[in-house]
Amino acid sequence: MESIQIASFVVRFQLAAVEKETGKKQWRIKVTHVQEERETLFETIEEATAFMMSMVEDS
């Protein structure tokens, strides 16, 4: 019987700053890997996505 692998993540976006001149928002992104109870902070969604992909590929 094959075992089923599950990877769950909680992703939270918190506004860190807004550039006065451009109005561009800077986000703090916290990703929690539920199974390992591991929290990691990122500045971009690309970094957060890469982290989640590496967690899934390593499991």
Side-chain angles (χ1 to χ4, degrees), residues 13-50:
F13 290 79
Q14 179 180 359
L15 186 59
V18 178
E19 292 182 19
K20 290 181 181 181
E21 292 180 9
T22 64
K24 183 178 178 182
K25 296 178 181 178
Q26 296 175 350
W27 295 94
R28 180 175 295 121
I29 304 165
K30 181 167 84 170
V31 176
T32 305
H33 183 247
V34 174
Q35 285 75 16
E36 293 185 11
E37 297 181 8
R38 177 179 170 186
E39 295 181 344
T40 309
L41 294 174
F42 301 96
E43 293 182 6
T44 68
I45 189 67
E46 292 81 12
E47 293 172 331
T49 302

